[in-house]
Amino acid sequence: MKKIAILGSTGSIGTQTLELVRENPDLSVVGLAAGSNIDLFEQQVREFQPKLVSLQSEEACKELKTRLADMDVTVVCGMDGLIAIAEMEEAQVLVTAIVGMIGIRPTIAAIQKGKDIALANKETLVTAGHIIMPLAKERGVSILPVDSEHSAIFQSLQGENRERVRKLLITASGGPFRGKAREALENVRLEDALHHPNWSMGNKITIDSATLVNKGLEVMEAKWLFGVGLEQIQVVVHPQSIIHSMVEYVDGGIMAQLGMPDMKLPIQYALFYPDRRPMKGKRVDFYALGSITFEKPDMETFTGLKLAMRAAREGGSVPTVFNAANEMAVRLFLNKKIRFLQIPEIIEMCMDAQKRIASPSVEEILACEQETYELIRTKF
Ligand code: NAD
Ligand code: MG
C-alpha cells in the first residue's frame, strides 16, 4: 500500500490524483488539503477517509469540523494545516497540487521529513529551486515531476547517461492565441483566454498558458529539476500536444514521450515510478492524427516568455518577482480588473523596480513576494 497526502485536492490535478486512487486499490490517502470548496472537500473526506485534513480559512475549518463530527478525522487549518499534512508521519509521498508559491513552505517541510514529492506546483520550484533541490538531495528524497513536459523529459531520460544530454526540448501548445498579432490581443476577453485548445486545467495555469508565462515557468522548473544550463533548454511550439517534450543527446539522437493530452498519465507515472500501470482512456491514433507540426515561439507578441527567460538568466530573487507579479496580475485579470496585455506589463514593471538578492532564503523569497504585491497594489 502506498500512502499519499495531497495539497490542493479539489483542483484539477488534485481531483485527477483522487481518480487514480479510485482506480488503484494499492494507493491510499492519509491527508488532504484544499482552499475553500467545502462541499467537494467534504465528499472527498467521506470517500477517501484521510486522517488529517485542512482548509484555507478558520471559518471554513470550523464549518468542516461541524460537518465531519461523525467521522474520526482531525481538522487543521491554513498554512499550519498545509505544513502538518506535508509532515504527516503516515505519508510516503506528498502530491503538491496546490497553485502558487504558497507551496514553498509545505514542500520544504515534507522534504525535511523525508517524503518523496510528486510535484505539480511549479511556482515553488521556480522561486525556491535553489533551496529545494539541494535539500532533496541531502535528504535522499525524490522530486517526481507531474507537469506533463517534465514527466516527458524524465521518461526520456530513463536508462540514459545524463552526462550525454545535449539539450531539453520543451514543447508548448502555443495556447488559444497562437498565431495572433499583438494588436489582436488588445481586447481579448477572459472567456477566450480561459479556453485552452488541448488541456483542461485550473484557471491560473490556463491564463499562464495563454500568455506563455507557463512555458517560461516550465523552463525554470526544468532547469532546477534536471540540473541543466538555460542554454540547454529550447522551447518548441507543437500545437497538437502529442509530443509532451524531448531530450536530445550528444549523438543527435532524440528521445521523446508521446501520448494523448491527459494529465492522469504523468500523475500516475510519478506515483508508481519506475513502474508503469495500465490506464484507461483514449490512445494516440496516428492514422487519425495524420500530421503533427512545429513552430518557433513568438516572443515579441507573447512577452511573458521573453520576460521569463530574462528572469531565469538574472536568477536570484528575480524569478520570485516574476512569479509573484504574474500571480497577482493573473488574479487581477481573472477578476476583470486589468486587460490581458497588462499581465506582462505588470511583470516587467515589477522586474525593473524590485531590488535583487543573489541567493534568497525562504524568508527573503516570501518578503520579496509581499513587496511585489505591494508594488502592484499601489498602482492597480
Ligand atoms: P486548481 O486551481 O485547479 O487547483 C488548486 C488547488 O489548490 C485547489 O484544490 C485549491 O483549493 C487549492 N488551494 C489554492 N489556494 C490554496 C490555499 N491557500 N490553501 C490551501 N489550498 C489552496 O489548480 P491546478 O490546475 O490543479 O494546478 C495546480 C498546480 O499544478 C499549479 O502549480 C499548476 O501550475 C500545476 N499544473 C497543473 C496542470 C493541470 O493540468 N491542471 C498541469 C501541469 C501543472
Ligand atoms: Mg506543463
Side-chain angles (χ1 to χ4, degrees):
M1 186 63 75
K2 191 170 234 177
K3 294 180 175 168
I4 67 169
I6 307 173
L7 305 183
S9 64
T10 56
S12 161
I13 297 289
T15 51
Q16 294 181 85
T17 307
L18 288 173
E19 276 175 42
L20 289 165
V21 175
R22 266 188 211 115
E23 291 161 18
N24 291 279
D26 54 345
L27 282 180
S28 81
V29 176
V30 293
L32 286 180
S36 54
N37 185 346
I38 189 163
D39 292 334
L40 175 58
F41 194 69
E42 180 188 355
Q43 280 175 31
Q44 293 181 338
V45 177
R46 292 195 178 277
E47 179 178 354
F48 295 98
Q49 308 263 323
K51 288 195 164 149
L52 193 62
V53 299
S54 175
L55 285 174
Q56 195 177 341
S57 72
E58 291 283 350
E59 214 184 327
C61 292
K62 229 170 119 188
E63 160 87 19
L64 185 71
K65 262 186 207 160
T66 315
R67 290 200 195 184
L68 297 176
D70 60 314
M71 287 187 69
D72 182 18
V73 59
T74 306
V75 179
V76 282
C77 189
M79 179 52 76
D80 292 344
L82 290 173
I83 292 176
I85 288 170
E87 291 183 334
M88 280 184 81
E89 182 97 34
E90 296 85 347
Q92 293 159 263
V93 181
L94 179 70
V95 181
T96 60
I98 197 167
V99 59
M101 52 193 292
I102 190 168
I104 296 176
R105 289 180 56 209
T107 304
I108 291 177
I111 297 171
Q112 268 161 345
K113 294 282 176 191
K115 317 285 172 200
D116 286 334
I117 308 290
L119 184 135
N121 178 220
K122 63 189 87 184
E123 296 90 347
T124 284
L125 219 47
V126 165
T127 52
H130 61 290
I131 298 169
I132 286 170
M133 294 313 289
L135 185 65
K137 194 169 175 197
E138 183 194 312
R139 298 290 152 115
V141 155
S142 303
I143 310 280
L144 300 151
V146 166
D147 210 345
S148 59
E149 294 77 3
H150 305 74
S151 176
I153 291 168
F154 186 54
Q155 292 178 57
S156 302
L157 286 168
Q158 296 306 312
E160 301 283 355
N161 179 354
R162 291 204 182 195
E163 305 278 299
R164 300 298 190 203
V165 170
R166 185 163 169 272
K167 66 179 178 188
L168 308 181
L169 296 135
I170 300 188
T171 53
S173 70
F177 306 132
R178 180 180 60 87
K180 294 233 187 302
R182 204 172 162 80
E183 306 76 68
L185 299 183
E186 282 292 348
N187 294 310
V188 299
R189 295 177 314 154
L190 174 61
E191 295 70 25
D192 300 324
L194 281 174
H195 190 78
H196 195 280
N198 305 338
W199 296 94
S200 157
M201 310 178 286
N203 282 350
K204 193 253 172 187
I205 183 173
T206 304
I207 301 303
D208 288 351
S209 300
T211 55
L212 291 201
V213 161
N214 182 52
K215 216 39 63 179
L217 295 173
E218 290 183 351
V219 167
M220 294 188 255
E221 185 185 8
K223 179 175 126 353
W224 289 117
L225 273 174
F226 305 112
V228 298
L230 263 189
E231 69 294 345
Q232 285 178 285
I233 305 177
Q234 185 180 353
V235 174
V236 180
V237 175
H238 160 47
Q240 298 81 15
S241 298
I242 293 295
I243 298 182
H244 298 307
S245 279
M246 310 180 253
V247 179
E248 183 187 316
Y249 290 91
V250 287
D251 58 358
I254 295 171
M255 302 299 286
Q257 186 254 336
L258 286 72
M260 296 302 288
D262 181 350
M263 286 308 296
K264 278 174 76 178
L265 190 152
I267 302 170
Q268 176 166 286
Y269 191 77
L271 292 177
F272 290 109
Y273 172 80
D275 196 9
R276 281 187 189 271
R277 289 286 177 92
M279 205 167 80
K280 296 196 192 85
K282 267 178 84 179
R283 301 295 156 119
V284 177
D285 175 348
F286 286 97
Y287 293 162
L289 190 63
S291 61
I292 53 176
T293 57
F294 305 95
E295 297 164 18
K296 197 173 168 182
D298 175 358
M299 295 218 242
E300 298 312 316
T301 303
F302 299 94
T303 48
L305 179 55
K306 196 175 173 177
L307 290 166
M309 300 306 279
R310 179 183 142 196
R313 253 190 332 270
E314 293 180 11
S317 58
V318 184
T320 294
V321 175
F322 173 89
N323 180 72
N326 179 60
E327 286 192 27
M328 176 67 99
V330 170
R331 225 171 292 156
L332 291 169
F333 179 67
L334 287 170
N335 292 327
K336 300 196 172 179
K337 296 275 193 317
I338 61 168
R339 286 174 291 107
F340 183 71
L341 287 179
Q342 284 180 290
I343 299 173
E345 279 170 25
I346 289 176
I347 297 173
E348 188 166 20
M349 182 257 305
C350 293
M351 283 173 68
D352 289 341
Q354 291 293 68
K355 65 175 192 293
R356 270 123 230 266
I357 306 167
S359 184
S361 64
V362 173
E363 290 67 33
E364 286 170 323
I365 291 169
L366 298 177
C368 175
E369 176 192 25
Q370 289 312 317
E371 283 162 24
T372 305
Y373 291 167
E374 279 308 314
L375 177 64
I376 298 171
R377 272 192 210 109
T378 58
K379 312 221 175 208
F380 293 90

